[in-house]
Amino acid sequence: MFQPLFKENRLHKTDLIAPVFVDETIAARKPILSMPGQSRIPPGTVGEVAETLWDCGLSAMVLFGIPAHKDARGSGAFAQDGVIQKAVQTIKRAVPDMAVITDVCACEYTDHGHCGIIGDTPCGPDLLNDPSLDLMAKIAVSHAESGADMVAPSCMLDGMVAAIRNTLDGAGYEALPIMSYSTKYASALYGPFREAADSGYAFGDRSTYQLDPANAREGVRESVLDAEEGADVLMVKPAGFYLDIITSVASIGLPVAAFQVSGEYAMIKAAGGNGWLDERQVVMESLTGIKRAGADIIITYFAEDVAGWLDEEQ
Ligand code: PBG
Ligand code: ZN
């Protein structure tokens, strides 16, 4: 009977951010096969999707875009009439109070699938850090101009937060917060996302700019650097395998978001769908564990389900 009184951590709907994939190339919802229950949505329905999330009590979403055209420089990512730019405007018209967060990266927009500009290096073709910084800054400003409430750069470039902060400030967006994917591991758990966001890469991998899963100190240092560059929210990604990192990053002192990624979702869905695990209980346990580790905010594909379950618990 006293158990609720002593409960140290609780999930709230206001902790959750729902990811949404907006696909410019489709006219109807398209299920993501490796993420049962998730779909890409056509641009025409983003307003309704936002209304549905809002009606469930969710107040934040993060947008990923799939453009009609890709090129080597990812120019669709900063186009004024790009898929994300239009989606942000539509959502802010439909649900003005929804916190609209945009993923700032180029991998969905480049024909090679990497997160920025590719060029020749002494070690072969690879992501070029500094030319890619200008691209990220341009993308962030275009999202700000469309009305985004927060930008979330996810490319793990060196100097990414400082470049975006400077450019946003110069464009008059001093107050626009940056949620940096500051501690992002080169994880196999992003597999289903490649299908979801059509961002598989043509060559190489992302281990030259994402972190080695074996490294804890390096992971924390990456978040410290982003905090120094002006990040407003830090992020650890993936979440469930990296709880120790969440705890360490929380001690930096900024709000911490954890991204329960596509592969974490897929694993739970697969076991749940087969009757091998109780999906609802495992989802709540996984998210409670992520909060207990120290996350303030959780990005999760289960957001809408959890909102419903929290209502039932009351
Ligand atoms: C884009 C991006 C990725 C994810 C979020 N933003 C893919 C990647 O970094 O390879 C992964 C999210 C997920 O797996 O759910 N850079
Ligand atoms: Zn990317």
Side-chain angles (χ1 to χ4, degrees), residues 5 10 41 62 82 101 105 110 119 126 129 132 145 147-148 166 176 180 193 204 236 252 254 278 283 293 306 311:
L5 200 54
R10 272 190 187 79
I41 60 160
V62 61
I101 305 162
C105 203
T110 52
D126 203 351
N129 195 82
S132 301
E145 286 169 352
N166 285 337
L176 194 88
S180 175
F193 182 89
V236 177
I252 296 171
L254 287 174
D278 181 323
V283 170
V306 171
D311 286 339

Side-chain angles (χ1 to χ4, degrees), residues 21 35 64 103 105 107-108 115 154-155 181 184 189-194 199 201 206 210 237 259-263 301:
F21 296 96
M35 300 177 71
F64 298 97
D103 188 81
C105 203
C107 49
E108 295 104 324
C115 295
S154 67
C155 55
Y181 285 64
K184 177 170 172 181
L189 291 167
Y190 309 147
F193 182 89
R194 307 271 146 82
S199 67
Y201 33 78
R206 295 197 170 115
Q210 298 180 356
K237 174 181 165 212
F259 200 141
Q260 184 182 53
V261 301
S262 56
Y301 300 98

Side-chain angles (χ1 to χ4, degrees), residues 3-155:
Q3 217 183 345
L5 200 54
F6 298 111
K7 199 185 268 297
E8 296 177 30
N9 292 286
R10 272 190 187 79
L11 283 174
H12 300 283
K13 293 181 192 181
T14 48
D15 301 331
L16 305 177
I17 300 176
V20 173
F21 296 96
V22 189
D23 184 347
E24 214 174 19
T25 71
I26 56 176
R29 223 170 233 278
K30 184 178 177 195
I32 301 163
L33 301 179
S34 51
M35 300 177 71
Q38 299 292 311
S39 302
R40 295 191 196 171
I41 60 160
T45 65
V46 285
E48 290 149 47
V49 168
E51 279 162 11
T52 305
L53 294 172
W54 186 260
D55 291 342
C56 299
L58 295 169
S59 51
M61 51 202 283
V62 61
L63 301 181
F64 298 97
I66 295 101
H69 302 288
K70 302 187 187 227
D71 61 27
R73 306 189 65 81
S75 47
F78 56 84
Q80 228 181 355
D81 61 348
V83 55
I84 288 300
Q85 289 75 4
K86 284 194 291 195
V88 172
Q89 291 167 26
T90 307
I91 294 167
K92 294 304 289 187
R93 264 197 308 272
V95 190
D97 290 334
M98 175 67 81
V100 182
I101 305 162
T102 53
D103 188 81
V104 175
C105 203
C107 49
E108 295 104 324
Y109 303 87
T110 52
D111 50 16
H112 46 69
H114 281 282
C115 295
I117 307 289
I118 293 293
D120 282 321
T121 75
C123 313
D126 203 351
L127 193 72
L128 301 179
N129 195 82
D130 293 6
S132 301
L133 290 179
D134 297 336
L135 174 61
M136 295 310 142
K138 254 177 152 155
I139 299 172
V141 169
S142 78
H143 291 175
E145 286 169 352
S146 317
D149 297 293
M150 180 154 74
V151 291
S154 67
C155 55

